[in-house]
Amino acid sequence: MASQDNEVESEKDKTVGQAGTVEDSVKDAQTTPVDEPAVEHDAPADEKGSDDSSKPSDNDELAKWKAMSRKNEDRASANYKAFQSADAELKAAKTQIARLEAKAKYPQITDAVLSDLCPATEPEAIASWAEKYAAYNPIDTSKVERKPQQTEDALARKVAMQAEFPSGTSHPKRQPGDAYKRVMERQKARKRSK
């Protein structure tokens, strides 16, 4: 029996050594702030009618989780619909860009030709169709004759300006009263011709 008592005391010493002294545990308990008492939610209710309003029932928890699940499903479906509409807009924009690029690259392709003859809706397919159509329906550029642009000779322009304004001033400023003088000269000319 004495050997068993020694073993029990040695185990107690080990646990005391691991846990520290009683004074350390009291100090820890005093310095550790206690916010709320520990409440177990899974503990059975007291038979005397404890405060049931603080503990949600299983049905309330189930209803709460079902509501959250439905809310998340609604959000996910709304997000998916928004994604689908944005994806459709992106595809439509890329198709429109491909059509505009085809019209810019090949002048023989018009809006009517694209809408009537091009069944493709993907940008790569539209580009390949436009290339095939342009090869099948080329533009004949030899018929269009352009007049060469006439360039004026700087010396000819200078001689013409000197002939127009012999004093060397190319654009004299109009003086106040010039318009009145011109009108008066026209009236005098009319009177003479009558």
Side-chain angles (χ1 to χ4, degrees):
M1 195 87 177
S3 66
Q4 289 178 350
D5 289 332
N6 289 336
E7 291 176 6
V8 170
E9 288 177 7
S10 66
E11 288 178 11
K12 286 181 183 178
D13 291 338
K14 288 179 185 176
T15 56
V16 169
Q18 291 172 354
T21 62
V22 175
E23 294 173 357
D24 292 336
S25 64
V26 171
K27 286 180 185 177
D28 290 339
Q30 289 174 352
T31 58
T32 306
V34 177
D35 294 334
E36 297 181 63
V39 177
E40 292 183 33
H41 294 287
D42 294 337
D46 292 345
E47 295 175 11
K48 295 180 182 177
S50 65
D51 191 16
D52 286 336
S53 64
S54 65
K55 295 181 182 179
S57 68
D58 290 338
N59 289 335
D60 291 340
E61 287 288 319
L62 182 64
K64 178 180 86 170
W65 285 104
K66 283 183 179 179
M68 286 175 48
S69 176
R70 275 186 245 111
K71 185 177 177 182
N72 287 337
E73 286 177 5
D74 292 343
R75 283 184 186 164
S77 65
N79 287 341
Y80 184 68
K81 288 178 183 176
F83 166 74
Q84 285 179 331
S85 67
D87 193 38
E89 287 178 18
L90 177 65
K91 287 180 182 178
K94 284 183 178 180
T95 301
Q96 184 66 23
I97 289 170
R99 289 176 176 256
L100 292 172
E101 286 175 349
K103 285 177 17 182
K105 189 173 183 182
Y106 306 108
Q108 64 266 37
I109 297 176
T110 61
D111 286 330
V113 170
L114 277 171
S115 63
D116 293 341
L117 301 177
C118 182
T121 57
E122 295 180 7
E124 295 84 16
I126 291 173
S128 66
W129 178 88
E131 186 177 339
K132 289 176 186 175
Y133 181 81
Y136 179 72
N137 188 11
I139 293 180
D140 189 14
T141 57
S142 63
K143 293 180 184 177
V144 178
E145 293 181 18
R146 295 184 181 177
K147 294 180 180 178
Q149 215 176 20
Q150 296 179 353
T151 57
E152 281 190 39
D153 187 19
L155 182 60
R157 188 176 334 121
K158 185 177 179 182
V159 168
M161 292 296 282
Q162 285 179 352
E164 187 176 347
F165 303 105
S167 65
T169 59
S170 58
H171 300 287
K173 284 188 176 181
R174 294 186 180 189
Q175 299 297 322
D178 284 347
Y180 176 76
K181 289 178 186 176
R182 279 185 275 135
V183 171
M184 292 305 290
E185 288 174 7
R186 274 191 247 146
Q187 285 181 355
K188 288 178 185 175
R190 283 185 198 154
K191 287 180 183 176
R192 286 186 221 147
S193 65
K194 285 186 180 179

